[in-house]
């Protein structure tokens, strides 16, 4: 029975993993269609306020980038190149491939995102645990207030406030993070990006802990004379982390690749700027690359949540499939 | 302007309350000597939450300011005073002027108009799309459910903001288009939430009984299921509004949101963040306006959820 369950679970996870493929096909298709639905050529300088070029010249440049082919052909070529790890050439940054553009900027964004995630998880969960352990104490209220602020305040508002306090008022840290090689430039963007997730982690941990602490098994454990510490960390925490794991996936996906709002405000040299510039300049290959990167990150993060779920809660190992139970 | 007709809410919940199988709030169900309606209970609990009440007053204040914008900010958002460029706060210009000599107070008030229009408009459409689809998917199950959830999952697989930016560049800038683009994303969580609730209600006795009696599906959904998920919807909407306001600010921050002379808190932050060293107030005030609005909506939503569902209160 048990073996059967874990087999079912593995099959389910495999199906989920394979399910990423059709999802990616659909979202790249929609993006592709939406991009081409926007009128105008990416190579028409007049669209960006430049002098207009003769249509023949534009057509010639388009042909050079393969835009004269039919749409299905273009899409298939994109997929074919993608499978070889080639994301094509950028239209806007002439003479540079998308792979080159991203290899410079993606690591920066990823580093910022992961730092923010670790900061949020590493501080948020302990804060939630402490708040729940001392329910209704001053500390608990403080954590609740902090998590309310962190959840409600958008990261670019937090960014502005952080810059004003730490860069302009106290002059402790640089306001801009252009020089990413200097670690002190990492601090403010990391906090700005991580504060919201931190608040969410703290809140879910606290709520989960309080839920579990009210459970019968805790009363039994207390009656057995187990120490409060053993109950808290031995039993309650693991069960309480379940909802935290659920939200961790989407948060990792949202934060893991940085945030272009935070990147813009702090002038972080990450890939966030392409978010905007690529769409304004109709830089198709870059747009597609971003969709692929963000989309697959999101899908993988959700898959990771599913894997963690089975590990944390044995009950879901069997009833993993999406059918109604 | 409100998203759900108040009388429908009242009737719905009272009907639920009279049905012992569907009573949802376990904590407060012993009968009060002086009979108080469910909504009376909700109001009673909400009133005890000081933070929620302060937030509600603040939200009301923002709504009043936005509605009375021509009165409270008679200069308008395009008026330029060339003698006062980037001026600090003064008696004449309460919050100072921006780089083009425009009254920052007026621009923040009119920016609030944009924020509220988007926030409420998006949630209105999101409810109209998400709730019926969620009801249908959860109640019917089977192929209908599969189809609807496929669509939801696929749209969820998109990075939200990227999807919105893409839609905006396709639709073109403007408040109406922001509402359309954000609604297309905003209905997803509502649909999921409603579906999940309906699935758990579907097998309950009162629904089974109605089915056995031959009550038509539509009527079951409308009269038996909807009233039971109303509080979930209300809570979701109260969190969805600030979310939409934030998304509008983000889109306008990037430059694909509102059409420029019209102010938006997001575009005001992005336009003025460059001058933060010389004129700190230009980016700070719109950021604070957005932050406080988000805070008020979130705190009110929290209070409302706790009042609607006492079990969730801590």
């Amino acid at each position: 029975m048990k073996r059967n369950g874990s087999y079912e679970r593995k099959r389910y996870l495999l199906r989920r993993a394979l399910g990423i493929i059709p999802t990616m096909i659909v979202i790249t298709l929609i993006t592709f269609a939406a991009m081409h639905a926007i009128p105008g050529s990416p190579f028409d300088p007049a669209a960006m306020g430049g002098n207009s070029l003769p249509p023949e010249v534009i057509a010639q440049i388009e042909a050079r980038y393969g835009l004269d082919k039919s749409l299905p052909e273009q899409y298939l070529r994109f997929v074919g190149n993608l499978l070889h790890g080639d994301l094509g050439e950028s239209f806007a940054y002439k003479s540079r491939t998308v792979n080159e553009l991203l290899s410079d900027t993606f690591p920066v964004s990823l580093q910022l995102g992961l730092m923010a995630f670790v900061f949020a998880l590493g501080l948020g969960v302990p804060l939630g645990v402490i708040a729940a352990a001392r329910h209704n104490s001053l500390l608990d209220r403080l954590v609740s207030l902090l998590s309310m602020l962190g959840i409600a305040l958008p990261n670019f508002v937090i960014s502005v406030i952080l810059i004003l306090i730490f860069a302009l008022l106290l002059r402790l840290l640089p306001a801009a993070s252009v020089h990413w090689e200097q670690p002190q430039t990492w601090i403010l963007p990391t906090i700005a990006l991580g504060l919201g997730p931190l608040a969410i982690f703290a809140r879910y941990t606290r709520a989960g802990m309080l839920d579990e602490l009210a459970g019968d098994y805790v009363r039994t454990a207390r009656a057995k004379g187990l120490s409060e510490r053993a109950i808290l960390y031995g039993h309650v925490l693991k069960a309480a982390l379940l909802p935290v794991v659920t939200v961790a996936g989407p948060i990792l996906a949202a934060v893991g690749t940085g945030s272009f709002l935070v990147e813009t405000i702090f002038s972080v040299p990450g890939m966030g700027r392409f978010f905007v510039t690529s769409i304004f300049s109709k830089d198709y290959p870059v747009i597609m690359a971003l969709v692929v990167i963000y989309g697959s990150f999101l899908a993988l993060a959700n898959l990771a949540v599913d894997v963690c779920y089975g590990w944390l809660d044995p009950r879901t190992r069997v009833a993993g499939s999406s059918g109604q139970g | 302007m409100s998203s759900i007709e108040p009388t429908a809410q009242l009737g719905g919940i009272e009907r639920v309350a009279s049905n012992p199988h569907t009573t949802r709030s376990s904590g407060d169900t012993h009968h009060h000597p002086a009979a108080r309606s469910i909504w009376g209970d909700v109001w009673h609990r909400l009133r005890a939450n000081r933070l929620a009440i302060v937030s509600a007053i603040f939200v009301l204040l923002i709504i009043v300011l936005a509605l009375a914008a021509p009165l409270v900010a008679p200069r308008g958002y395009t008026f330029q005073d060339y003698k006062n460029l980037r001026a600090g706060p003064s008696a004449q210009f309460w919050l100072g002027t921006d780089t083009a000599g425009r009254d920052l107070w007026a621009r923040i008030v009119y920016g609030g108009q944009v924020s509220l229009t988007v926030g409420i408009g998006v949630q209105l459409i999101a409810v109209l799309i998400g709730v019926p689809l969620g009801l249908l998917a959860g109640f019917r199950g089977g192929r209908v459910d599969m189809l609807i959830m496929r669509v939801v999952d696929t749209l969820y697989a998109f990075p939200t903001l990227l999807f919105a930016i893409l839609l905006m560049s396709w639709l073109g800038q403007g408040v109406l288009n922001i509402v359309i683009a954000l609604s297309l994303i905003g209905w997803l969580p509502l649909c999921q939430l409603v579906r999940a609730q309906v699935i758990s209600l579907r097998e309950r006795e009162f629904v089974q009984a109605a089915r056995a009696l031959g009550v038509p599906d539509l009527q079951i959904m409308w009269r038996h299921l909807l009233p039971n998920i109303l509080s979930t919807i209300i809570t979701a909407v109260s969190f969805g509004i600030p979310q939409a306001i934030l998304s509008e600010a983000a889109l306008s921050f990037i430059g694909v949101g509102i059409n420029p002379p019209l102010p938006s808190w997001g575009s005001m932050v992005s336009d003025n963040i460059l001058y933060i060293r010389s004129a700190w107030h230009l980016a700070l005030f719109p950021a604070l306006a957005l932050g406080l609005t988000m805070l008020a909506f979130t705190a009110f939503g929290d209070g409302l959820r706790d009042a609607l569902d006492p079990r969730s209160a801590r």
Side-chain angles (χ1 to χ4, degrees):
Chain A
M1 185 72 193
K2 183 123 202 241
R3 206 138 120 246
N4 198 12
S6 93
Y7 171 70
E8 284 274 308
R9 175 86 200 151
K10 272 186 195 131
R11 263 191 51 169
Y12 166 68
L13 286 178
L14 188 68
R15 217 175 57 213
R16 279 289 318 267
L18 290 176
I20 295 177
I21 298 168
T23 312
M24 291 308 292
I25 293 177
V26 173
I27 67 172
T28 49
L29 258 179
I30 296 177
T31 312
F32 187 81
M35 264 169 12
H36 286 271
I38 305 166
S41 163
F43 298 104
D44 185 1
M48 274 162 273
N51 295 324
S52 56
L53 277 174
E56 311 87 80
V57 178
I58 293 178
Q60 212 165 30
I61 305 176
E62 282 185 351
R64 147 92 177 72
Y65 286 94
L67 288 178
D68 53 339
K69 306 260 178 11
S70 73
L71 288 183
E73 215 173 319
Q74 286 186 39
Y75 179 76
L76 287 179
R77 219 175 59 150
F78 159 78
V79 175
N81 287 341
L82 182 65
L83 293 179
H84 292 102
D86 176 11
L87 291 163
E89 282 175 275
S90 165
F91 295 173
Y93 300 81
K94 306 259 160 33
S95 81
R96 296 205 69 188
T97 66
V98 179
N99 290 41
E100 283 169 359
L101 283 179
L102 291 180
S103 66
D104 287 349
T105 54
F106 179 67
V108 174
S109 292
L110 188 68
Q111 184 203 346
L112 172 61
L114 291 181
M115 284 192 307
F117 186 76
V118 170
F119 164 73
L121 201 63
L123 222 57
V125 171
L127 277 179
V129 171
I130 295 171
R134 304 191 187 169
H135 189 32
N136 282 334
S137 68
L138 184 69
L139 197 75
D140 182 25
R141 271 152 213 251
L142 224 59
V143 171
S144 292
L145 183 74
L146 184 81
S147 69
M148 162 95 65
L149 283 174
I151 287 172
L153 292 180
N155 54 29
F156 68 100
V157 172
I158 296 175
S159 304
V160 171
I161 295 171
L162 285 178
I163 290 181
L164 276 173
I165 296 177
F166 291 99
L168 299 185
L169 224 60
L170 301 177
R171 296 174 186 278
L172 284 174
L173 294 162
S177 309
V178 192
H179 302 290
W180 193 247
E181 59 283 354
Q182 299 167 353
Q184 70 264 31
T185 63
W186 299 350
I187 300 172
L188 287 186
T190 301
I191 297 176
L193 191 56
L195 218 52
L198 183 152
I200 297 174
F201 286 139
R203 170 179 281 210
Y204 274 87
T205 308
R206 176 176 173 277
M209 293 284 290
L210 289 178
D211 253 356
E212 292 297 327
L213 281 171
D216 289 337
Y217 73 93
V218 173
R219 205 181 314 141
T220 313
R222 280 199 180 124
K224 264 171 37 185
L226 274 179
S227 77
E228 202 64 15
R229 182 174 287 263
I231 296 172
L232 220 56
Y233 299 106
H235 296 83
V236 173
L237 186 59
K238 200 172 159 191
L241 282 183
L242 211 60
V244 178
V245 170
T246 317
V247 290
I251 287 179
L252 179 62
V255 166
T257 39
S259 152
F260 68 91
L261 290 174
V262 171
E263 284 185 16
T264 310
I265 290 186
F266 288 99
S267 323
V268 175
M271 67 174 188
R273 62 193 132 122
F274 298 130
F275 240 105
V276 188
T277 55
S278 66
I279 286 179
F280 275 135
S281 58
K282 298 204 185 67
D283 200 343
Y284 299 159
V286 176
I287 301 176
M288 292 300 268
L290 288 178
V291 169
V292 168
I293 290 178
Y294 279 86
S296 48
F297 211 88
L298 195 66
L300 289 176
N302 283 329
L303 191 66
V305 168
D306 261 18
V307 174
C308 289
Y309 235 72
W311 171 66
L312 276 172
D313 184 359
R315 278 169 302 181
T316 58
R317 273 179 208 159
V318 188
S321 63
S322 55
Q324 1 127 2
Chain B
M1 203 59 194
S2 82
S3 52
I4 304 158
E5 213 184 319
T7 50
Q9 291 175 11
L10 273 165
I13 290 281
E14 261 159 12
R15 207 174 297 123
V16 176
S18 63
N19 183 340
H21 294 295
T22 60
T23 322
R24 40 191 310 289
S25 48
S26 52
D28 257 63
T29 44
H30 24 255
H31 289 280
H32 293 281
R36 205 193 271 148
S37 73
I38 289 277
W39 288 103
D41 270 351
V42 168
W43 168 237
H44 185 73
R45 283 191 293 264
L46 189 63
R47 216 175 40 186
N49 187 339
R50 217 179 311 148
L51 184 63
I53 291 298
V54 171
S55 309
I57 294 171
F58 189 79
V59 168
L60 278 179
L61 183 75
I62 299 167
I63 294 175
V64 170
L65 281 178
L67 287 177
L71 296 174
V72 293
R75 275 196 204 93
Y77 57 84
T78 49
F79 168 81
Q80 286 175 285
D81 183 344
Y82 298 108
K83 291 194 197 96
N84 282 299
L85 301 179
R86 261 189 258 178
S90 64
Q92 193 190 357
F93 299 102
W94 296 348
L95 301 181
T97 59
D98 68 4
T99 45
R102 293 176 299 194
D103 184 6
L104 208 61
W105 163 251
R107 291 184 64 75
I108 285 183
V109 169
Y110 277 95
Q113 253 182 7
V114 172
S115 294
L116 286 175
T117 312
V118 170
I120 295 169
V122 166
Q123 284 307 302
L124 199 68
I125 302 178
V127 166
L128 289 178
I129 304 177
V131 173
L133 285 181
L135 273 169
L136 199 67
F139 189 64
R140 282 283 172 78
R143 214 171 279 166
V144 182
D145 184 29
M146 270 255 294
L147 187 72
I148 294 176
M149 289 330 280
R150 235 335 114 67
V151 174
V152 170
D153 286 344
T154 308
L155 288 180
Y156 253 130
F158 261 103
T160 323
L161 207 51
L162 195 64
F163 188 55
I165 297 173
L166 217 82
L167 280 172
M168 287 307 292
S169 62
W170 184 40
L171 294 167
Q173 283 163 231
V175 176
L176 182 67
N177 288 343
I178 298 176
V179 172
I180 296 173
L182 294 180
S183 307
L184 285 176
I185 304 162
W187 68 274
L188 300 173
L190 262 166
C191 181
Q192 270 195 330
L193 219 57
V194 168
R195 172 182 174 269
Q197 288 249 307
V198 169
I199 286 178
S200 75
L201 287 171
R202 192 172 56 184
E203 307 304 327
R204 299 270 286 274
E205 291 92 337
F206 71 100
V207 178
Q208 296 290 338
R211 260 183 165 169
L213 286 171
V215 180
D217 282 2
L218 262 179
Q219 207 175 331
I220 297 181
M221 289 190 221
W222 178 251
R223 302 195 48 165
H224 298 276
L225 294 174
L226 194 60
N228 279 289
I229 53 175
L230 209 56
S231 66
T232 309
I233 298 173
I234 295 173
T235 308
V237 166
S238 71
F239 288 113
I241 291 176
Q243 214 48 54
I245 290 178
L246 173 59
S247 302
E248 182 276 320
L251 287 176
S252 297
F253 181 97
I254 302 163
V256 294
I258 44 105
N259 273 316
L262 198 68
S264 153
W265 295 339
S267 63
M268 289 168 78
V269 174
S270 74
D271 290 347
N272 295 321
I273 191 77
L274 288 169
Y275 312 108
I276 195 153
R277 281 167 201 283
S278 53
W280 53 271
H281 59 285
L282 291 184
L284 181 67
F285 288 141
L288 281 184
L290 179 65
L292 288 174
T293 306
M294 297 281 299
L295 206 56
F297 267 108
T298 311
F300 177 64
D302 270 355
L304 197 61
R305 183 192 51 202
D306 292 350
L308 284 167
D309 183 2
R311 282 169 307 175
S312 72
R314 304 239 175 262

